[in-house]
Amino acid sequence: MTTSCCFTLFICGGPLPPFQLQTVSLEPFFLPRTALKKSRRCVGDKNTKSVFCLPPQTFDKILIANRGEIACRVIKTCQKMGIKSVAVHSDVDASAVHVKMADEAVCVGPAPTSKSYLNMDAIMDAIRSTGAQAVHPGYGFLSENKEFAKRLAAEGVTFIGPDTHAIMAMGDKIESKLIAKAAKVNTIPGFDGVVETADDAVKIAQQIGYPVMIKASAGGGGKGMRIAWNDEETREGFRFSSQEAASSFGDDRLLIEKYIDNPRHIEIQVLADKHGNALWLNERECSIQRRNQKVVEEAPSTFLDSVTRRAMGEQAVQLAKAVQYSSAGTVEFLVDSKKNFYFLEMNTRLQVEHPITECITGLDLVEQMIRVAKGYKLLHKQEDIPINGWAIESRVYAEDPYKSFGLPSIGRLSQYQEPLNLSNVRVDSGIQEGSDISIYYDPMISKLVTYGATRAEALSKMEDALDNYVIRGVTHNIPLLREIITHPRFISGDISTNFLPEVYPDGFKGHQLEVGNRRELLASAAALYITAQLRSQKVLGNLRVSSTPVECTHWELCAELGEGLYSMEVEVDGGKVEVSGQWNLASTLLPLTINGTDRMLQCLSRDASGQIVLQYLGTSFKVRVLSKLAAELNSYMPEKVAEDTSSILRSPMPGSVVAVSVKPGDTVAEGQEICVIEAMKMQNSLTAAKQAKVKKVHCKPGETVGEGDLLVELE
């Protein structure tokens, strides 16, 4: 397939107008003055007639029993409130950002979480040695561990979270469902007891009626959850869910309930104090998920009306009061197409997506948690809680979105630049250039948040922010995030928890180029190629050799994009595609104007063979630009034969081998499980691509494997 196209190329000198820098603070975008005054101690200076507002007196020193972005997030509020902070870290996190930000830091063990961030003995020793008066657990790790809360209470250390009885009641999905029923909160039909065996699971599922959801009684975050549509999937789900639950939460108990097909996942943020006051802080739409883990969230939801919002909020508060809840917490609901809503679970901690609630309400939830833990009453009443504008959060992960919508990636961030040059953009992160993304912890890079007066404005900001986000050294999910927020179904609000498999039934393939997009990409690659060629002719602005001919104004090029070969004639003074911009070949970002449309491209790599990798509309494309003669000669080059992957099994991600189900000489059927790899606490079953005999096994349980490592050979 050969297509000829002409375009105009303008190579513009001189810098673009400078960006207007704006710092987004944790007193999120529009904090009402009344709330600000209420939350501070204000003192006057008679000489200067000035008023100084100080943070409320709470604690002198807080230890953050967590790592990464949430530890950094808590430390920022501590700094704002004048509280000293103590970070804990594993040995591999000794140079982490949260360690550098804190006033003090204590190593609590080696890399594995069980020996460091889940090591209660080591953390208690850190509390004693530093004299911390309170502990903020963040989310995950020990944040919902009742034993940890008890040990803190026994030491006279304040737990910045709910009381132990609330953690116990809501941390167990079975008990929480019974309490929710008693509090007259809508619940999902299901089995309220503990499922003991796989056979019991099958019997219960048959009684409830398929499909069913099998999930861990303890914990959350999508771990230990499986949907089953038949008896076989129920048995398999029971096995994997119990193993994941034991690994993640130290508790392998499971429950089963009716799975609501095509639901929305909408949660209500609650805030309560120790004096019987409780508020609901509006909702968050969290329906865009993969493997029961959230990817994109927004506040408010496009689906709820004011009546449904109030009903959900009031039921969430009823539940909080039923367990005498005090602190920030989240009540999660499943909502069907008719706006019927059902209690899912309550997270007795700060939620990952809390920033979007902060954006639309103007409240700093970490500050509120600290105040409540110290015994202060809430500053606000329900009628004081606003919905100001719209906020979107994209979870930026070190993941390969082309594999099951995101399998973990590891590596070192060789380049890293957050899009904070844009207005109304907030980035909560715990990494920096040079940081390592390892197999030991969650692969989240950051939470990218944009805010606008309207949803359209917030989405437009998110699109720009994703295009301006520079991440090198690891595979990331920005291509998927950008496709989600620009998809017509998402823009219209037609979403459910099945959004990704419905929109991409054959898996995510990246941005699909239309004719106009293809021309833009080819023109940009050609312009970059020509710019590099022109630069190579000069040294310090002068021609390398005085006899070098004058710069030509006509270029005949060929470009390879995918399987297509495109011939192009480039004339500087005439054509159909106009490309202009700041051509700084050393810059990570290329702000271009293509046919009057502003685009932000990234040149990921460029080599002497003419191959250019451009990030365009969020997706990375390989374009090979050659002169006409080089393209003709290249047709004689031998092509590398692709590896026959049907006879081998390679690890699709870095992780550890949990189980190997075959041995040399075994005959396996197509789709039969060969081994199980655990990555970031999630277990993944790897299966045979065809019926064959096992030739050799290259792995064993307990081993650590990297992405692409050979696991099993088949004959």
Side-chain angles (χ1 to χ4, degrees):
M1 177 179 178
T2 302
T3 304
S4 179
C5 65
C6 264
F7 59 85
T8 301
L9 170 68
F10 295 110
I11 302 177
C12 298
L16 290 178
F19 288 109
Q20 181 178 359
L21 298 178
Q22 177 169 336
T23 302
V24 177
S25 71
L26 285 174
E27 208 106 61
F29 303 104
F30 298 108
L31 182 62
R33 288 184 177 274
T34 53
L36 181 64
K37 289 179 181 178
K38 289 180 181 178
S39 65
R40 299 288 186 268
R41 292 176 291 120
C42 297
V43 295
D45 187 319
K46 294 180 180 179
N47 296 323
T48 61
K49 296 182 180 180
S50 300
V51 176
F52 301 94
C53 292
L54 304 173
Q57 291 178 323
T58 53
F59 304 100
D60 296 325
K61 186 183 291 187
I62 291 176
L63 181 142
I64 298 96
N66 217 298
R67 66 178 300 279
E69 63 86 15
I70 188 57
C72 295
R73 166 68 186 88
V74 176
I75 291 171
K76 287 178 182 178
T77 291
C78 287
Q79 292 171 343
K80 183 180 70 174
M81 298 178 71
I83 301 170
K84 291 184 178 180
S85 58
V86 179
V88 296
H89 64 90
S90 64
D91 52 10
V92 297
D93 273 346
S95 299
V97 175
H98 76 282
V99 174
K100 296 176 181 177
M101 285 181 63
D103 296 295
E104 299 177 56
V106 180
C107 183
V108 289
T113 56
S114 61
K115 298 179 180 179
S116 53
Y117 296 104
L118 291 174
N119 186 345
M120 281 189 264
D121 290 337
I123 292 174
M124 294 304 298
D125 287 342
I127 294 168
R128 297 185 193 102
S129 65
T130 59
Q133 300 163 315
V135 171
H136 196 299
Y139 53 74
F141 295 139
L142 299 172
S143 62
E144 296 176 284
N145 189 298
K146 56 183 178 292
E147 183 60 33
F148 183 56
K150 285 181 179 178
R151 291 186 64 172
L152 290 176
E155 292 275 344
V157 177
T158 302
F159 180 72
I160 302 176
D163 293 333
T164 308
H165 64 85
I167 297 175
M168 293 175 64
M170 293 292 101
D172 187 307
K173 290 185 174 65
I174 297 171
E175 184 178 351
S176 66
K177 190 173 179 180
L178 296 174
I179 293 172
K181 281 184 177 180
K184 297 183 179 179
V185 177
N186 303 344
T187 58
I188 302 172
F191 179 69
D192 295 331
V194 177
V195 184
E196 300 290 349
T197 66
D199 289 337
D200 290 339
V202 170
K203 291 178 183 177
I204 293 167
Q206 291 173 346
Q207 292 170 0
I208 295 172
Y210 288 109
V212 296
M213 173 69 81
I214 303 169
K215 59 185 181 180
S217 176
K223 295 180 175 64
M225 297 177 67
R226 290 288 191 283
I227 300 168
W229 295 80
N230 53 49
D231 292 353
E232 183 180 349
E233 290 183 3
T234 300
R235 293 182 185 279
E236 185 180 80
F238 180 89
R239 177 165 68 101
F240 283 124
S241 291
S242 59
Q243 289 173 353
E244 285 178 3
S247 174
S248 298
F249 317 118
D251 185 343
D252 64 357
R253 293 176 303 147
L254 303 177
L255 60 88
I256 298 180
E257 60 191 19
K258 181 69 176 177
Y259 174 66
I260 299 174
D261 204 7
N262 288 315
R264 284 176 178 259
H265 186 139
I266 300 177
E267 59 192 28
I268 301 291
Q269 176 71 57
V270 296
L271 181 64
D273 62 24
K274 299 180 184 297
H275 305 277
N277 303 304
L279 306 171
W280 48 276
L281 309 181
N282 304 310
E283 81 279 4
R284 295 185 289 255
E285 172 77 69
C286 306
S287 297
I288 306 299
Q289 304 179 0
R290 48 94 177 95
R291 298 190 302 280
N292 299 310
Q293 291 183 310
K294 302 161 190 172
V295 181
V296 176
E297 304 102 352
E298 61 182 306
S301 168
T302 60
F303 189 61
L304 296 191
D305 53 53
S306 59
V307 174
T308 309
R309 176 179 294 115
R310 176 170 291 278
M312 292 177 69
E314 288 176 349
Q315 286 200 17
V317 167
Q318 285 171 208
L319 181 60
K321 288 185 174 181
V323 292
Q324 298 178 328
Y325 196 86
S326 61
S327 193
T330 298
V331 182
E332 300 189 352
F333 293 94
L334 290 182
V335 186
D336 67 19
S337 59
K338 296 180 181 179
K339 298 184 181 177
N340 298 309
F341 57 91
Y342 305 95
F343 170 72
L344 184 62
E345 64 181 349
M346 183 176 189
N347 292 310
T348 56
R349 53 171 167 80
L350 189 66
Q351 198 83 336
V352 177
E353 56 275 16
H354 75 274
I356 54 177
T357 295
E358 294 184 326
C359 290
I360 67 167
T361 62
L363 296 177
D364 181 333
L365 293 183
V366 175
E367 180 180 358
Q368 297 302 314
M369 293 178 74
I370 293 172
R371 286 176 50 85
V372 168
K374 187 60 177 177
Y376 287 98
K377 290 184 178 180
L378 296 182
L379 294 167
H380 306 83
K381 296 182 179 179
Q382 190 62 58
E383 56 268 24
D384 298 330
I385 305 303
I387 299 181
N388 284 331
W390 214 284
I392 312 283
E393 175 178 294
S394 293
R395 298 194 189 187
V396 181
Y397 281 100
E399 290 182 337
D400 186 345
Y402 302 97
K403 297 178 180 178
S404 300
F405 300 112
L407 293 184
S409 170
I410 61 172
R412 176 165 292 178
L413 293 168
S414 56
Q415 284 183 291
Y416 184 73
Q417 181 178 316
E418 297 173 349
L420 292 174
N421 56 316
L422 304 177
S423 62
N424 282 4
V425 172
R426 168 175 164 177
V427 183
D428 282 19
S429 67
I431 47 88
Q432 61 187 358
E433 193 165 285
S435 292
D436 284 311
I437 307 295
S438 74
I439 65 170
Y440 297 108
Y441 311 117
D442 188 273
M444 182 186 288
I445 293 174
S446 73
K447 299 182 301 195
L448 177 62
V449 180
T450 58
Y451 177 86
T454 64
R455 185 172 187 260
E457 185 180 333
L459 285 173
S460 177
K461 288 284 184 185
M462 180 60 72
E463 192 174 337
D464 290 342
L466 290 169
D467 286 341
N468 281 268
Y469 208 144
V470 178
I471 303 172
R472 306 278 194 276
V474 296
T475 305
H476 54 76
N477 68 333
I478 283 180
L480 175 62
L481 295 172
R482 198 184 190 283
E483 286 300 297
I484 290 171
I485 62 135
T486 57
H487 194 280
R489 270 191 61 179
F490 183 84
I491 293 172
S492 69
D494 178 20
I495 61 177
S496 74
T497 55
N498 294 323
F499 177 87
L500 289 179
E502 287 175 357
V503 172
Y504 308 106
D506 299 321
F508 180 66
K509 307 295 183 184
H511 183 77
Q512 302 302 299
L513 292 172
E514 298 176 351
V515 175
N517 294 151
R518 185 180 295 110
R519 286 175 180 165
E520 285 190 7
L521 178 60
L522 291 170
S524 301
L528 189 62
Y529 172 85
I530 293 170
T531 302
Q533 292 297 311
L534 294 176
R535 187 182 71 166
S536 68
Q537 296 175 9
K538 297 181 179 181
V539 176
L540 299 177
N542 299 313
L543 295 176
R544 287 177 179 272
V545 182
S546 59
S547 60
T548 301
V550 179
E551 297 173 4
C552 67
T553 60
H554 184 89
W555 298 76
E556 290 188 8
L557 303 173
C558 286
E560 296 177 9
L561 176 60
E563 296 181 356
L565 179 64
Y566 303 88
S567 63
M568 301 176 291
E569 292 186 3
V570 181
E571 296 183 8
V572 174
D573 294 319
K576 295 182 180 179
V577 181
E578 296 183 359
V579 182
S580 62
Q582 184 177 359
W583 294 97
N584 182 351
L585 298 180
S587 175
T588 54
L589 297 171
L590 292 174
L592 304 179
T593 301
I594 308 174
N595 279 349
T597 301
D598 291 335
R599 301 285 193 197
M600 182 63 75
L601 278 68
Q602 297 186 33
C603 182
L604 304 183
S605 66
R606 183 168 51 86
D607 61 29
S609 70
Q611 182 165 286
I612 301 171
V613 181
L614 287 175
Q615 183 172 307
Y616 169 71
L617 300 179
T619 296
S620 298
F621 293 96
K622 291 182 179 179
V623 185
R624 193 175 187 191
V625 183
L626 301 169
S627 66
K628 188 175 181 180
L629 175 60
E632 291 174 355
L633 296 175
N634 187 64
S635 63
Y636 297 102
M637 297 294 290
E639 293 186 10
K640 183 179 180 181
V641 179
E643 183 180 42
D644 179 12
T645 57
S646 65
S647 297
I648 59 173
L649 180 67
R650 293 188 181 277
S651 178
M653 76 210 87
S656 59
V657 181
V658 175
V660 179
S661 306
V662 298
K663 60 182 183 299
D666 288 353
T667 299
V668 294
E670 181 181 351
Q672 181 178 332
E673 180 179 290
I674 292 181
C675 63
V676 176
I677 302 293
E678 183 180 279
M680 313 300 181
K681 301 298 182 183
M682 297 292 286
Q683 296 196 357
N684 304 273
S685 176
L686 307 185
T687 60
K690 64 179 182 180
Q691 181 174 343
K693 191 175 183 180
V694 178
K695 180 180 179 181
K696 195 170 183 180
V697 177
H698 294 270
C699 62
K700 59 184 179 181
E703 283 187 343
T704 298
V705 295
E707 182 179 355
D709 284 1
L710 182 61
L711 302 176
V712 175
E713 293 181 72
L714 303 175
E715 293 182 355

